[in-house]
Amino acid sequence: MRFSVFALFFTLASVAHAELVFEKPLQNLHRMREDGHAEARFAFKNTGPETVTIRKVRTACGCTSAKLDRKVFAPGEGSEIVVRFTFGSRKGAQRKMITVVTEDKKEIPLDLRVWVHEPLTISPALVYWKVGEPPMGKTVKLTTSDERIGIKSVASSNPRIAATLLPAKPGEPTMVTVTPADTSQKETAELTVQTDFPADAARSYTIHARVK
Amino acid sequence: MMRRGLREVALLAVIAALPASVSAVVQLKWRPPAPLAEGEVSAATARLWGEKVLWVDARARAKWERKKIGGAVLLNAEEWDASVPRFLDEWDPEKAIVVYGDGAQDDAAAGVAHRLKEELKLDGVWVLQGGWDAWQQR
């Protein structure tokens, strides 16, 4: 009898932790800005020996919503969480965090990274030199997502930092070389890339240059 | 037999209550720090970095204007294009960049840090764990 009470005590104390395992907790997507939104499916499975109840799926931004078809999962069962990120005015490299909270207060982070591409993508958007560094030209790549987009010019706000548009080969990105006159002192320049698209309101983009 | 069983249960309850009480007192007073996510830095560590940090405030402009970490530059998703030149003027390649948002359940800071790394290709970019809320709990 004495041992049976102890056995019961320890059995109740060692309840196994339930576990949800996500196939791809980090997802990288690339979308065009005009798509308006990106949708990611986070598939998961209950790999533990206990039933798991998802209490809530928390998103940290009003621009992100998460859908789940049910909340209780027996061992071996699984489903997917559908996360929808609405871009609004957002562009470039975006990161949205989603947290799955289970009934036993365990928190599982999900990470959605979406590159919202504009008609023209600039990489890198910053070139810099340290003061005293050799004033070698640095190259910036301009990639267009639409054949109708033409790059008309690149102009620098600072005559001591020059930008040269290199002739583009068919099907390849356009390159810009940025070169400081010298690097003896700190310099700042914003380089404006002027396109001819869209025809009725041609857009411009910015490359940042600094001597630091 | 029944009485003996009840006595054993009572005895076990008393034995369990003592360490449980001690544990409860200790845990209420001291909570282990949450583990750092990838790219996060704790407020305690960031304080140790002192002047070697450029603080970036990813919150809304109104909050930044009201109160901020000393010297913090405003850079949020809403005003990204307009704010990047000012941020770059303050930026120093020798300093770490620590971005903060409102709190632990806000991903604005992670978003800004991600853009700094991906679009401007900057290194040494960190997110303050727990954001502004954690910074104030000194």
Side-chain angles (χ1 to χ4, degrees):
Chain A
M1 178 65 188
R2 187 156 298 186
F3 284 101
S4 64
V5 172
F6 275 103
L8 176 68
F9 184 79
F10 284 108
T11 303
L12 289 174
S14 63
V15 174
H17 281 285
E19 200 166 352
L20 285 187
V21 174
F22 280 80
E23 210 173 279
K24 284 166 70 183
L26 187 159
Q27 294 194 29
N28 276 295
L29 301 177
H30 288 259
R31 295 288 182 273
M32 296 305 298
R33 196 174 180 184
E34 57 262 31
D35 294 340
H37 72 275
E39 211 167 75
R41 294 174 179 273
F42 292 90
F44 62 88
K45 193 174 178 183
N46 176 8
T47 60
E50 302 292 323
T51 294
V52 176
T53 301
I54 294 178
R55 210 169 82 191
K56 62 181 171 185
V57 181
R58 196 169 63 214
T59 57
C61 170
C63 57
T64 313
S65 65
K67 272 188 192 169
L68 181 63
D69 56 357
R70 60 198 165 98
K71 292 192 164 182
V72 182
F73 298 91
E77 284 187 338
S79 183
E80 60 181 17
I81 293 172
V82 181
V83 174
R84 184 185 172 100
F85 165 43
T86 304
F87 306 152
S89 60
R90 294 170 186 81
K91 59 186 180 179
Q94 300 291 321
R95 186 180 181 191
K96 295 292 146 196
M97 307 299 291
I98 304 101
T99 309
V100 180
V101 185
T102 58
E103 201 59 52
D104 59 355
K105 293 183 179 170
K106 194 172 175 186
E107 297 198 351
I108 305 159
L110 303 177
D111 192 341
L112 173 60
R113 301 176 185 192
V114 184
W115 195 298
V116 183
H117 290 278
E118 292 204 273
L120 181 75
T121 300
I122 296 175
S123 183
L126 166 71
V127 282
Y128 78 94
W129 298 258
K130 289 184 181 177
V131 170
E133 187 181 329
M136 306 289 283
K138 296 197 176 182
T139 307
V140 176
K141 188 164 75 175
L142 311 178
T143 310
T144 55
S145 62
D146 190 318
E147 285 179 356
R148 291 173 296 169
I149 303 167
I151 295 158
K152 288 175 67 179
S153 62
V154 182
S156 174
S157 64
N158 180 346
R160 291 177 50 79
I161 296 183
T164 310
L165 196 57
L166 303 177
K169 293 172 188 166
E172 288 189 9
T174 302
M175 304 299 236
V176 173
T177 303
V178 186
T179 315
D182 63 66
T183 59
S184 60
Q185 61 184 38
K186 291 186 176 181
E187 300 280 359
T188 293
E190 258 61 62
L191 315 172
T192 305
V193 180
Q194 185 63 52
T195 70
D196 59 5
F197 184 84
D200 55 343
R203 286 193 56 189
S204 62
Y205 301 80
T206 305
I207 300 167
H208 309 279
R210 297 288 185 275
V211 178
K212 282 282 185 181
Chain B
M1 193 70 168
M2 180 73 175
R3 286 179 63 189
R4 189 176 161 191
L6 286 172
R7 265 206 313 274
E8 283 186 2
V9 170
L11 181 65
L12 278 172
V14 170
I15 293 169
L18 286 169
S21 308
V22 173
S23 172
V25 168
V26 171
Q27 286 188 40
L28 282 173
K29 283 187 176 173
W30 182 80
R31 286 186 177 189
L36 292 171
E38 188 193 335
E40 275 189 339
V41 62
S42 69
T45 304
R47 281 197 179 93
L48 291 175
W49 292 348
E51 297 294 308
K52 284 287 179 192
V53 172
L54 171 62
W55 290 99
V56 172
D57 193 327
R59 301 176 301 160
R61 173 177 284 278
K63 291 181 179 177
W64 173 75
E65 285 174 346
R66 202 176 309 135
K67 213 167 185 185
K68 56 182 166 283
I69 296 177
V73 182
L74 178 72
L75 185 60
N76 57 33
E78 291 73 32
E79 299 177 67
W80 180 266
D81 286 344
S83 303
V84 165
R86 161 100 172 104
F87 157 77
L88 289 173
D89 290 343
E90 297 294 325
W91 169 66
D92 178 344
E94 304 300 322
K95 288 186 178 181
I97 299 166
V98 182
V99 189
Y100 64 93
D102 279 317
Q105 293 181 15
D106 164 46
D107 67 359
V112 166
H114 185 59
R115 290 190 81 171
L116 291 174
K117 288 188 269 193
E118 292 294 318
E119 295 181 29
L120 302 182
K121 308 290 183 200
L122 294 180
D123 296 321
V125 182
W126 302 86
V127 172
L128 179 67
Q129 185 189 40
W132 174 250
D133 295 344
W135 182 258
Q136 288 195 300
Q137 290 165 12
R138 13 176 121 211

